[in-house]
């Protein structure tokens, strides 16, 4: 069992929980891990079930006991913690969502919430916690790490917006879901000679929009990472296309780059081309995970268990140069992610 680095009379603010005595990696073998908790946090992503299954099976097959925490950090501080066995994860690999359920816990963004979570782990004798989620979930994990709780993060978000990893579980499934929906929208846009403006998810990032835009042959792709000149990048592109004989148009807008309804209205007003908005929304978060997501989740779950067995704590499991590896949580969260300017340029040349 870990020792809390702070006592209740001296709980620092989360923002100042900068490791006074915590130094990231615990020496191998210093404290043996026996019981591990696993939770999913933030927005769900296809492949989260495959992640849990991998943690449970590789953990138990390596001699660990695995406990499931329901409803993310919310369930942690409330003590919603129960053992999971290898049979409990049967038939979960192919299922979307997360059977442990998930939440965006506001309490866990407070110092009391984090400390309560750490205390609850002590109540259940949990030696370490594996967290599947996005950036916000990893910040929660880092806060626990700074209190002395060994943690491992596995990237699970459709947005692919975590800087230290090339890939986040759920991204491929979400893009395929969006691509199939946009192919259908193209059919009807083509029949009616319309412009279809489609808003995809991604929060502040444009990865889904850019790649789905390339895959569906979109005329215009709007992402938050690139400043848009509406007249030049949208109106002019559509009119140039019309003048070359195009009769329907697909505009993909990342949710962080604008509002599909407003954009469709502006396009219709300025070009006279009938335009319709579609917001794909949460359907992008559902569905059976693709092969890419199932395999990445399975490999990352196993890597998380390996880190714990080898005494390498407070790590984020990542994909780097196509290989599953891990990085220190402090280092990983300090990185900045950028979209490749070359890909943006290529997308423009394809339109
Ligand atoms: O982070 C995943 C994501 O689906 C984002 O793309 C989106 O902005 C957000 O979650 C939506 O969150 P919620 O489901 O809480 O509305």
């Amino acid at each position: 069992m870990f020792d809390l680095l702070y006592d209740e009379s001296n709980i620092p603010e989360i923002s100042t929980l900068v490791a006074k005595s915590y130094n990231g990696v615990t020496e191998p073998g210093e404290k043996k891990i026996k019981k591990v908790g696993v939770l999913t946090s933030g927005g769900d992503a296809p492949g989260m079930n495959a992640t849990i299954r991998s943690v449970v099976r590789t953990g138990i097959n390596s001699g660990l006991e695995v406990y499931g925490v329901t409803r993310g950090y919310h369930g942690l501080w409330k003590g919603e913690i129960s053992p999971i066995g290898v049979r409990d994860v049967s038939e979960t690999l192919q299922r979307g969502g997360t059977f442990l359920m998930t939440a965006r816990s506001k309490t866990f963004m407070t110092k009391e919430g984090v400390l309560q979570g750490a205390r609850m782990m002590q109540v259940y004798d949990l030696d370490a916690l594996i967290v599947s989620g996005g950036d916000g979930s990893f910040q929660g994990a880092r806060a626990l790490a700074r209190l002395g709780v060994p943690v491992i993060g596995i990237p699970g978000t459709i947005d692919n917006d975590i800087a230290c990893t090339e890939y986040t579980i759920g991204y491929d499934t979400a893009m395929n879901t969006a691509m199939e929906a946009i192919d259908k929208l193209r059919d009807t846009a083509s029949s009616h000679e319309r412009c279809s403006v489609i808003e995809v998810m991604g929060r502040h990032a444009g990865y889904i929009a850019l790649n789905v835009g390339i895959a569906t042959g979109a005329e215009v792709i709007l992402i938050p990472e690139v400043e848009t000149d509406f007249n030049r990048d949208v109106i002019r592109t559509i009119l140039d296309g019309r003048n070359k004989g195009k009769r329907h148009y697909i505009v993909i807008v990342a949710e962080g780059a604008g509002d599909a309804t407003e954009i469709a209205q502006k396009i219709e007003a300025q070009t006279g081309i009938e335009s319709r908005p579609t917001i794909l929304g949460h359907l992008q978060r559902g569905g059976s995970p693709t092969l890419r997501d199932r395999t990445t989740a399975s490999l990352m779950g196993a890597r998380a268990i390996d880190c714990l067995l080898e005494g390498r704590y407070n790590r984020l499991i990542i994909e780097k140069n196509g290989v599953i590896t891990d990085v220190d949580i402090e280092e990983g969260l300090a990185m900045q992610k950028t979209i490749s300017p070359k890909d943006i340029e290529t997308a423009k040349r394809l339109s």
Side-chain angles (χ1 to χ4, degrees):
M1 171 57 55
F2 56 88
D3 299 316
L4 281 177
L5 297 180
Y6 296 95
D7 63 34
E8 287 177 48
S9 57
N10 180 28
I11 315 165
E13 292 296 332
I14 295 238
S15 57
T16 58
L17 264 179
V18 184
K20 285 187 182 121
S21 48
Y22 151 78
N23 63 355
V25 180
T26 306
E27 287 303 310
E30 200 178 281
K31 277 176 188 166
K32 241 181 158 359
I33 299 286
K34 294 194 197 84
K35 289 190 186 177
V36 183
V38 57
L39 62 78
T40 49
S41 161
D44 63 348
M48 277 183 163
N49 282 324
T51 306
I52 303 163
R53 173 181 177 272
S54 171
V55 164
V56 170
R57 294 223 166 142
T58 59
I60 292 174
N61 289 332
S62 308
L64 301 178
E65 286 175 54
V66 182
Y67 283 69
V69 182
T70 51
R71 298 179 183 82
Y73 290 118
H74 189 72
L76 182 66
W77 67 263
K78 293 190 92 177
E80 295 178 15
I81 301 169
S82 335
I84 321 188
V86 285
R87 303 310 322 153
D88 296 329
V89 291
S90 297
E91 307 290 329
T92 57
L93 183 63
Q94 73 280 17
R95 278 170 43 202
T98 158
F99 76 86
L100 284 178
M101 293 174 283
T102 184
R104 297 191 191 279
S105 174
K106 288 203 173 74
T107 310
F108 216 77
M109 301 312 272
T110 66
K111 59 182 183 178
E112 290 80 11
V114 178
L115 192 70
Q116 176 62 11
R119 274 201 226 105
M120 204 48 92
M121 287 188 58
Q122 289 188 319
V123 169
Y124 277 84
D125 280 335
L126 295 181
D127 301 307
L129 184 68
I130 297 177
V131 172
S132 161
D135 212 51
S137 309
F138 287 172
Q139 285 171 30
R142 179 177 59 186
L144 280 170
R146 288 172 174 181
L147 282 177
V149 180
V151 296
I152 305 287
I154 301 178
T157 165
I158 64 164
D159 300 339
N160 200 32
D161 60 348
I162 299 178
C164 56
T165 182
E166 286 159 8
Y167 190 78
T168 62
I169 295 157
Y171 178 49
D172 188 58
T173 308
M175 286 195 298
N176 277 288
T177 301
M179 182 183 74
E180 284 168 23
I182 294 163
D183 286 347
K184 290 177 179 144
L185 289 166
R186 188 183 275 284
D187 290 344
T188 169
S190 153
S191 310
H192 287 264
E193 299 185 85
R194 282 176 176 159
C195 174
S196 189
V197 181
I198 301 138
E199 187 176 312
V200 296
M201 277 191 166
R203 200 179 290 272
H204 307 300
Y207 296 95
I208 296 178
L210 180 61
N211 288 298
V212 161
I214 291 172
T216 56
E219 277 66 36
V220 177
I221 304 170
L222 303 174
I223 58 173
E225 292 84 351
V226 176
E227 213 179 306
T228 306
D229 175 331
F230 199 80
N231 280 343
R232 184 196 60 205
D233 301 329
V234 183
I235 303 299
R236 182 74 195 270
T237 306
I238 290 173
L239 292 178
D240 281 352
R242 186 194 59 188
N243 295 341
K244 285 184 202 143
K246 281 198 184 185
R247 289 293 170 259
H248 69 276
Y249 316 86
I250 298 289
V251 174
I252 307 287
V253 53
E255 64 177 335
D259 176 294
T261 307
E262 276 172 26
I263 292 170
Q265 280 164 356
K266 276 169 81 176
I267 292 173
E268 187 161 319
Q270 285 183 243
T271 63
I273 296 167
E274 230 186 342
S275 302
R276 293 284 187 273
T278 304
I279 299 168
L280 293 184
H282 287 85
L283 77 82
Q284 294 160 100
R285 290 234 299 257
S288 178
T290 58
L291 179 144
R292 168 74 153 123
D293 282 323
R294 294 183 199 190
T295 50
T296 306
S298 302
L299 296 176
M300 284 189 167
R303 181 82 186 194
I305 292 294
D306 287 344
C307 283
L308 292 178
L309 293 172
E310 291 158 17
R312 291 183 304 110
Y313 308 148
N314 308 330
R315 312 289 294 171
L316 297 179
I317 309 303
I318 60 168
E319 186 180 292
K320 194 175 174 191
N321 302 325
V323 174
I324 307 297
T325 179
D326 53 88
V327 67
D328 173 69
I329 193 166
E330 300 282 351
E331 218 179 286
L333 286 181
M335 294 179 189
Q336 301 284 329
K337 193 156 185 162
T338 50
I339 279 194
S340 149
K342 181 107 182 100
D343 290 358
I344 296 170
E345 196 40 48
T346 303
K348 282 191 184 145
R349 286 168 58 213
L350 284 166
S351 115

